Amino acid sequence: MTKYFSKLLIIFLLVFFLMPNLALAQQAAPVYLTLFYGDGCPHCHKELLFLAKLEKEFTNLKIRKLEIWYNPENANLMGKIGKDLNLKVSGVPLTVIGNQAFTGYLDDATTGQKIRQLVIDYSKLGCNDLVGETLGEKSGSANLPCPATDSEKTISLPWFGTIDFNSW
């Protein structure tokens, strides 16, 4: 009986001390999203509503909202970020996550789904906060290059279908 109790106690202690380490290992990487928007822009308003829901869904998501129509500093920052990402920035909303950017916002099912997927991908992989670095902010993902996401590792071609580069 004592041998049984000793073994049970050892198993319990191992599980008790290893569980926190397992939980930490599965913790999602922080994801930094910056929204450049215009106060009064209807597309921006739709995206702001979507991002409020997304922020509740992903506790690791850090959202920075920068209004550009009435704030020239934010407008200049948006132009600089556009140059850094080789984008021709012509309007709002502009959403930046890592080294990816989305201009405009149609609805939750299209643009919103693309944003959600990128948040999911970078939650697994981690990624630099380009806007935060430009602002001089320190982030938990500093010096972590943005890896290719699952959607960037596949391509759809006529007659061939979807090609997954992971399998090559």
Side-chain angles (χ1 to χ4, degrees):
M1 180 85 168
T2 359
K3 285 185 179 182
Y4 178 75
F5 180 75
S6 299
K7 288 180 183 178
L8 191 59
L9 181 62
I10 290 172
I11 291 171
F12 174 78
L13 290 174
L14 284 173
V15 169
F16 181 78
F17 286 108
L18 290 178
M19 279 303 218
N21 293 336
L22 293 174
L24 288 175
Q26 296 174 353
Q27 188 174 8
V31 177
Y32 299 91
L33 180 150
T34 301
L35 174 67
F36 293 97
Y37 73 99
D39 189 21
C41 163
H43 300 287
C44 300
H45 179 72
K46 286 197 297 189
E47 184 169 352
L48 284 165
L49 293 174
F50 170 77
L51 291 178
K53 292 185 272 186
L54 198 65
E55 196 170 27
K56 290 177 185 172
E57 184 180 343
F58 296 94
T59 57
N60 62 316
L61 179 61
K62 317 288 187 224
I63 298 177
R64 179 186 299 109
K65 302 169 195 156
L66 301 173
E67 201 288 326
I68 66 150
W69 287 354
Y70 301 104
N71 187 321
E73 288 177 12
N74 290 344
N76 290 335
L77 176 63
M78 185 174 99
K80 179 176 180 355
I81 295 298
K83 285 180 186 173
D84 291 348
L85 293 174
N86 295 320
L87 291 174
K88 182 180 178 188
V89 179
S90 59
V92 289
L94 175 67
T95 308
V96 180
I97 307 172
N99 60 2
Q100 301 289 312
F102 302 94
T103 303
Y105 189 84
L106 184 59
D107 57 31
D108 295 1
T110 55
T111 316
Q113 189 55 38
K114 289 178 184 177
I115 293 170
R116 173 181 273 115
Q117 187 59 53
L118 200 57
V119 170
I120 290 168
D121 290 344
Y122 285 159
S123 291
K124 298 174 196 169
L125 307 169
C127 188
N128 275 346
D129 176 19
L130 175 65
V131 179
E133 290 171 3
T134 303
L135 291 170
E137 297 174 359
K138 303 270 184 194
S139 70
S141 298
N143 299 321
L144 186 64
C146 301
T149 62
D150 290 342
S151 58
E152 294 173 309
K153 294 177 184 174
T154 61
I155 187 170
S156 295
L157 297 173
W159 301 294
F160 295 103
T162 300
I163 297 173
D164 183 1
F165 294 114
N166 291 326
S167 63
W168 283 44

